[in-house]
Amino acid sequence: MPIFSLKVNSKSEEVNVDSGTTLLWVLREHLGLMGTKYGCGVGQCGSCTIHINGNPMRACALPVEAVSEGQSITTIEGLSKKGDHPLQKAWVEHQVPQCGYCQSGQIMQAAALLEKNNNPTREEILNHMNGNLCRCGTYMRIFNAIESASKEI
Amino acid sequence: MKNYQDNSTSVSRRNFLKVSGGFTIGITVVGLVPQLTSCTEDGEDTREMVAKELNAWVHLREDGQIMIYSPASEMGQGSKTALPVILAEELDADWSDVMVKTSPIDPEIYGNAGFGRSGRKIMMNVGSRTVKGYFDSLRQAGAQTRYILLHSVSKTWEVPIEELSTEPSLVVHQKSGKKIPYGDIVEILDIPETIPEFSIDQLKNPEDFRLIWNESIGRVDVPEKTTGEAVFAIDVKVPGMVYGVIERGKVHGASPNLINEAEIRTQDGLIDLVALDYGIGVVANTLEKALEIKQQLNIDWNTDVLAAKHSSQEALESYSKLNQHDETRDLIEKGNVKQAMAKAAKVYSAEYKNDYVYHAQMEPLNAIASISEDQNSIEIWAGTQGPGFVAGAVANALGLEPENVKLNLCYLGGGLGRRSLHDYVIEAAQLSKAVSKPVKLIWTREDDLRYGMYRPMSLQQMKAAIDSEGNITALSHVITGDGSNLLASGAANEFYAIPNQEVKLNIVKNGVRLKHWRAVGHGPNKFAIESFIDQIANDQGVNPLEMRRKLMANFPRALKTLEKTAEMANWDTPPRPGRARGIAFGERSGALCTGICEISLDRDSGKIKVHHFWSAVDGGTIIQPDNAKAQMEGGILMGISSVLSEQLTVEKGEIQQSNFHDYQLMRMADIPESLEIELIPSNDKPQGMGEASTPIVAGAIANAFLALTGKTLNHLPFSPERVKKVLDS
Ligand code: FES
Ligand code: FES
């Protein structure tokens, strides 16, 4: 099996997996970073959202060989040191999560937006977040939390 | 900004002393050996500290920390927090001293007595009955725990217990002005011989509640659900663990014959293939390998099963013409419907239908099972709504003793009714037993959807008699479909004064797997009832609000939700052009609510847009108001999702959808501009909040559509194609 070198949350990692293995399984089952979730495996739900060089990507849709060593991967575990990213704080303030399963993906998707645009309009937020499903129906609170976090950034 | 503190930890107790209903005490040293990765034992506080077990529910530590067990499965409904809040209220604990842990799985002690029938206590989180069912017993436990503390202090200070009172986490002797923090009582703890049962008027007066209905108490699970640290079963890893997946048929119940077994068995990384009645299990070293092999299985399916004859849309069309059913039941007979129909000034009739819907809980089903070397015992990690039933189910399937099945309860990435059946847990156990290794079994989303258990499709035939004053004097409701009681809930109209009512159920077996889905039969039944009322009101030229006012005149709790919601929505002022409002009332698990929505319509595409949704709810005593609102909001959004887009169809037994591209859930771009919830204050017993709002959505939207277009939507979901057809008709 080939060895792949990855930079995850500023740490260099090596994994020995079949090529074609998705980054989602590499992160979760090989590196033990369980915050990134499996929801659909086909890029439809956003539960597996991570950042690659700051861009939101679906880890389930990326084979490990598509990521080069020079690219930096950030997962929810690496978003902030103490869980205190403005979005994470806003998520607690607005009591966003219900079952919580989609929320790593929601926060990572939202973080990528605020990174580029710290004053998004309603439309911009809704469009940017449209690929992230939440079955528990926390969308109203996600929206409010993003709005209030954008004011903190 | 609210600063919610973190009271969370989900640690199972190692030194638990088994008690049988009563109280026992033991000194437990909270200091633990390192653990396997597990969903219940992360983040243990390893400081050595003397703690005392006041009773089965509460441990008090000398530094003042009060650990309270929560017996709830947490699936997003918030009960993991609400239950300890109830106990802490009577205990008069300072919430910032409280730490919440998931209780051991022991129904005799930690079970919910609120399931009536046998009086047996069970650990099952369904039907929004958790808070409701535990309320009395947790108040009692809190009051009794407080009594132990008072008793201990009265002995040490040699003052009569009557002279003592409490303030948050303090016992106070008013006369002398002495105070002692709860934590300091650990040293002088003196458990009395007998502990009284407190009557309701010896418990706190609701006026004095500090924790119940306290806006500043956040949910204990929220912080770790923002950092990725919350552990769902799918996140558990145990040493030596391998991975299992199962290929199941597209037709429910079909049995497999693996054609290329020899070839498959040559694959590197394969540990074993496990034949099940309805599928082939693949166990491999890695998840990716297991999934790859699953794809390569060449299976000949024996589809000589009932479901193979079933095509959903044809079947649903045929229901109104069937004159024979597999079974017929009279669910409700009140008054004399026949007579009222005969005497009616006018008789109305209408039909409503609904397609299958799928749970789509975001965490696909999964479980980890680790069989012991001697194959006599097994450890399970799972998210389940029925933790008290896992041991029995697994023991039964594997031929073990129930006491040899240990469950570690994890967070549930959604339950919605699906996780109250343990097929997925049993499968993990079977695979583990077959390969004598710990196995993580994962259902792919496709497995979860295609081999799902759906809310049944059904036909609702309504007939009403109206007298010359426009009163509804009789209502007949005939439900046809598969799923027995799954179809029945919500058909009764307890809050409408209709003197003659009947509900009949015609059962037609289809062989498709069916299950409770948030609010169960209430979804389709309230849709039919509420839409029908508006159709009658429309024809009679009566305002739908007025019509309901009259029907609810003798039911003040229901009426209040109606009036309040109408006020919130400004019902009496017309919406802006191009929009219309619709109203519907619902009840579920004791909570009553009215919903009003405001919609517009894109006539070219047939797409309905919900702009606003208002709802006032009477859920009795509300433990956590913000969470109660969150449940209402989530229920409404899930309602809108199911009403506007969710549709599962079956062709000759094959489920036609496979993942979220063709089973469409509501997405963020479609959220309303506002969603307002009002909680009607009440000191009555708590009612079930988790499902209250979902059933009102279909009726509210259909009624708004009727107001907007003069046309009726009578088949769920109101997908754009269907809406266009109605518009063109
Ligand atoms: S799991 Fe990657 S988008 Fe759904
Ligand atoms: S919080 Fe449950 S799916 Fe989003």
Side-chain angles (χ1 to χ4, degrees), chain B residues 367-371 378-381 425 428-430 432 437-440:
Chain B
I368 288 84
S370 179
I371 191 112
I378 194 162
E379 187 163 2
I380 305 280
W381 289 259
V425 182
Q430 286 168 329
S432 177
K437 286 180 197 302
V439 174
K440 179 190 276 192

Side-chain angles (χ1 to χ4, degrees), chain B residues 77 80 87 104 185 205 506 532 539 555-556 566 588 617 641 681 720:
Chain B
Q77 87 283 31
K80 181 177 178 181
L87 191 154
I185 303 172
N205 185 331
N506 296 324
F532 192 41
D539 186 75
F555 304 97
R588 168 73 183 158
V617 57
S641 178

